[in-house]
Amino acid sequence: MATVSKFSVFTEFAYRAGTFIPNPMGEKPFSGFFRVEIPYVGPMLVVAGILLLGVIVAFAIYLYQNNEAAKKIGHVLLKISLVVQIIAIGFLVSGIKSTTDVFPKLQTQLAADSSQYAIVGREINSKQNLSAQEFAALTPAQHEQAGRNFFQNNGSKMFLSLNTNPVEVAGLLTALAGTFFVIMFAFRTDKLIERLPSLDSLDSLMYKTACLAFAGLAMLLITGAIWANESWGRPWGFDSKETGALVAWLTYAAFLHTRISRGW
């Protein structure tokens, strides 16, 4: 959840959905680059994130101190987090579908905070046929002007769609599903444990799966950086997909390192 909407959820308590521009050829719309804030979604996601952190703390206390009260608190926080996530996704879907006045909303948003012009301009310039040296030579003012020109020419055509942010929506739905399954299994642990293979089999399967995932993510990061450098003139842009993949790779790396070095 932290990486959605270009990190604005946890840095500004705001969720901003990407925009589209119609394709004159009637094919897939073009990206509008600018992002429009959807009311209430950001604060709800922040609350959900805080609740999930509380769940982690509560269950950690339960595991290390065998504190039943902490376990009950963790279950309550988990249920509340599930409800908050559902509400956040509901606000997101309804907000995107009901927002038809994208241009005036963006104008108001940009009047209050014009930083998006430079961000969008940089992204637009990165897609031009510029060498790495030419792109690096562009000044922040030039990036901002490119963003302003793009908005002036295309702002009135911009619209919102759920297809604009498929990775972010998928991430939110995955977090929701994960929370739901944790709650579901929390009340049927005995039956679940009875049906599981032996601990040695599970440990071996987990280790092999982690090795494959680690190698696959490494290849994804390397080839993705090469492709991004060829396409946009930079190997890394810290967007949600890149950052999420890096965090996942580092997590697997930490697990494999501790297992090999410590035997965990």
Side-chain angles (χ1 to χ4, degrees), residues 185 188-199 201-202:
F185 289 135
R188 298 186 177 183
T189 52
D190 294 336
K191 291 184 179 180
L192 178 63
I193 291 173
E194 289 175 1
R195 297 181 180 182
L196 289 175
S198 66
L199 290 178
S201 298
L202 287 174

Side-chain angles (χ1 to χ4, degrees), residues 11-196:
T11 57
E12 303 174 39
F13 305 118
Y15 177 88
R16 298 189 181 98
T19 55
F20 270 148
I21 297 173
N23 188 329
M25 304 299 293
E27 299 176 356
K28 182 180 178 181
F30 300 117
S31 171
F33 298 110
F34 286 89
R35 300 177 73 95
V36 182
E37 183 174 342
I38 306 297
Y40 310 117
V41 178
M44 297 302 291
L45 290 177
V46 171
V47 171
I50 293 173
L51 288 170
L52 289 174
L53 287 176
V55 170
I56 294 172
V57 172
F59 280 112
I61 294 173
Y62 164 70
L63 290 174
Y64 285 100
Q65 299 181 4
N66 198 25
N67 189 321
E68 289 294 330
K71 180 181 178 181
K72 292 180 180 179
I73 292 173
H75 280 149
V76 172
L77 293 178
L78 198 59
K79 293 175 186 177
I80 297 174
S81 174
L82 179 69
V83 174
V84 173
Q85 289 178 63
I86 293 173
I87 294 173
I89 293 174
F91 278 135
L92 172 61
V93 174
S94 63
I96 288 178
K97 288 191 172 183
S98 63
T99 301
T100 56
D101 52 343
V102 173
F103 185 52
K105 282 194 173 183
L106 261 178
Q107 284 182 313
T108 303
Q109 184 178 306
L110 292 169
D113 180 12
S114 61
S115 60
Q116 263 200 90
Y117 285 123
I119 296 172
V120 170
R122 184 178 180 84
E123 192 166 354
I124 291 172
N125 287 329
S126 70
K127 297 181 183 298
Q128 306 302 317
N129 294 322
L130 301 175
S131 66
Q133 292 77 14
E134 289 173 328
F135 180 76
L138 293 175
T139 64
Q142 289 174 306
H143 288 311
E144 181 176 344
Q145 188 58 48
R148 289 182 180 275
N149 292 340
F150 183 85
F151 183 69
Q152 184 177 0
N153 295 330
N154 300 284
S156 60
K157 308 172 190 175
M158 293 179 183
F159 66 94
L160 295 180
S161 170
L162 288 173
N163 294 330
T164 315
N165 311 97
V167 176
E168 295 179 359
V169 173
L172 295 176
L173 291 175
T174 300
L176 177 66
T179 305
F180 172 76
F181 282 116
V182 169
I183 293 174
M184 185 176 70
F185 289 135
F187 294 98
R188 298 186 177 183
T189 52
D190 294 336
K191 291 184 179 180
L192 178 63
I193 291 173
E194 289 175 1
R195 297 181 180 182
L196 289 175

